[in-house]
Amino acid sequence: MDNKFTIYNTMSRRKEEFEPLNPPFVGLYVCGPTVYGDAHLGHARPAITFDVLFRYLQYLGYKVRYIRNITDVGHLTNDSDDGEDKIEKKAKLDRLEPMEIVQFYTNRYHKNMEQLNTLSPSIEPHASGHIIEQQELIKKILENGFAYESDGSIYFDVEAYNKKYPYGKLSGRKVEELFANTRQLDGQNEKRNPFDFALWKKASPEHIMRWPSPWSDGFPGWHLECSCMSQKYLGDTFDIHGGGLDLQFPHHECEIAQSTAAYGHEAVRYWMHNNMITINGQKMGKSLGNFITLDQLFSGENDVLEQAYSPMTVRFFILQAHYRSPLDFSNEALQAAEKGHERLMATMEVLERLKPSDKNTVHVDELVEKCFQAMNDDLNTPTLISHLFDGVRMINSVAAGQEHIDAANLDKLKKLYHDLVFTILGLKKENESAGKDHEVLGKVLDMVMSIRTEAKQKKDWATSDKIRDELKAAGVNVKDTKEGYEWSVE
């Protein structure tokens, strides 16, 4: 590959040039949702972040196997080793089978992902479909001396592991600090140390989701599923593991320990973490009760929303911040994103209508270089979008006759915007009904502007200016060009 694509590796805490293990094949694993409720804005960020990564790797010519799991068992309340299974708890409240809950919310998640224009992963495995594989992984860890049985449950022995391998490499935490800062909780007395974590939990009599095992009827621990499924489909060493920053500890730290304990080496070469979406400076999440579901965003049915926001507005809002930076929700930011997306889509239409000139006064090659430098610099989408809007000014100048572009550069510019806006960033025009509304408005404007043209030909400047000013007051900006006019909605 000629492109020097760099990504920030959370493990090394620096940007590294991406070099896949077995080019052109790339293995990408991303932690997916626990499906016990509707997807919210916080779920959209990792989905869009790693969708852009998936798209860009494919654009660079790599053959990507993208795995995004569905957690449907073992994720207990408060992300702990004790308490109710989140899905089982929801099933009891709704008087449904747990797998009815899983199917219902998985379907709704897929619908939201389609609305956000994220590509489907290559494989979407469920934790409940890999119980046997998880039990086999537990056996390996037990055989290697890094786990122990306690009353039918199996726990990972962090202290024993830390004597051979450093626990806490990813998050920078030390076992000594964990021991000093972790108190013994009720129900954890079967553990040797409070920071040991469950690989297999013996099910209590009332627990619905349970499977037979050599140790007890029970269920796998939450952390185990990702170690198991990533290595089943990508091998015991693979390229990229992604997820939200909130999963770095303990989830991803435990994954590293499990895989190393079983195979004697780490599984992941590059760790990537997206930062959180916050609301009033606090992480948005179901456990905090401060989340806005994607369906609420798209309909406007939430008290904190001033209006409905389209899926492409939400996607553009997320892409305007670097994936490693925190992103705070506000109506003002989403409204700005809405205008930015509309302006970019309007420019795409202007670009399609441009005609080549015999001469060229614009610097398309320079724009191409800047755009791909941004993408190759750890997916710097906000800088890329800034460059794209520099190009918007170039396109509008050409449309107004202030600049000129020849056929070769026009083809290059059209390809650049199509590739970056649609193929890589995954943006698109809004839904069909919005497109029809846009088309109808365009026809009405053609009629109004024909009246304005007649007024100008008659030198009736008062009528001409009145039409322009009234359109502007209604939120429609009109710009005269040598070919007629261009318009956009504020």
Side-chain angles (χ1 to χ4, degrees), residues 233-290:
Y233 296 109
L234 299 175
D236 61 15
T237 306
F238 61 94
D239 294 302
I240 303 172
H241 193 316
L245 191 62
D246 56 332
L247 296 177
Q248 183 176 321
F249 186 88
H251 187 53
H252 290 161
E253 200 73 79
C254 293
E255 276 191 63
I256 293 169
Q258 289 165 162
S259 301
T260 306
Y263 297 103
H265 60 80
E266 294 178 25
V268 179
R269 302 179 70 239
Y270 301 89
W271 284 94
M272 294 182 69
H273 292 90
N274 64 273
N275 214 316
M276 299 296 98
I277 290 182
T278 57
I279 180 166
N280 298 323
Q282 186 180 40
K283 173 198 162 186
M284 182 178 291
K286 286 177 183 164
S287 60
L288 298 172
N290 64 351

Side-chain angles (χ1 to χ4, degrees), residues 279-307:
I279 180 166
N280 298 323
Q282 186 180 40
K283 173 198 162 186
M284 182 178 291
K286 286 177 183 164
S287 60
L288 298 172
N290 64 351
F291 63 93
I292 305 166
T293 71
L294 292 173
D295 284 342
Q296 289 170 343
L297 272 166
F298 303 155
S299 68
E301 295 175 358
N302 188 298
D303 290 342
V304 303
L305 299 173
E306 294 178 1
Q307 64 179 75

Side-chain angles (χ1 to χ4, degrees), residues 198-212:
L199 301 175
W200 185 265
K201 282 289 290 182
K202 180 181 179 181
S204 58
E206 67 276 8
H207 201 95
I208 303 171
M209 303 175 76
R210 58 203 298 148
W211 290 263

Side-chain angles (χ1 to χ4, degrees), residues 35 58 68 106 123 127 169 215 244 287 334 343 355 372 481:
V35 283
Q58 289 181 309
R68 185 184 66 205
T106 299
I123 305 172
K169 287 179 63 178
W215 316 288
S287 60
L334 278 161
R343 185 182 175 203
K355 304 297 181 185
F372 282 100
T481 70

Side-chain angles (χ1 to χ4, degrees), residues 414-432:
K414 286 181 177 180
K415 182 178 188 310
L416 175 70
Y417 272 74
H418 183 278
D419 289 355
L420 288 172
V421 175
F422 297 141
T423 304
I424 296 172
L425 292 182
L427 295 166
K428 63 178 183 179
K429 297 174 184 176
E430 293 297 353
N431 60 41
E432 186 177 352

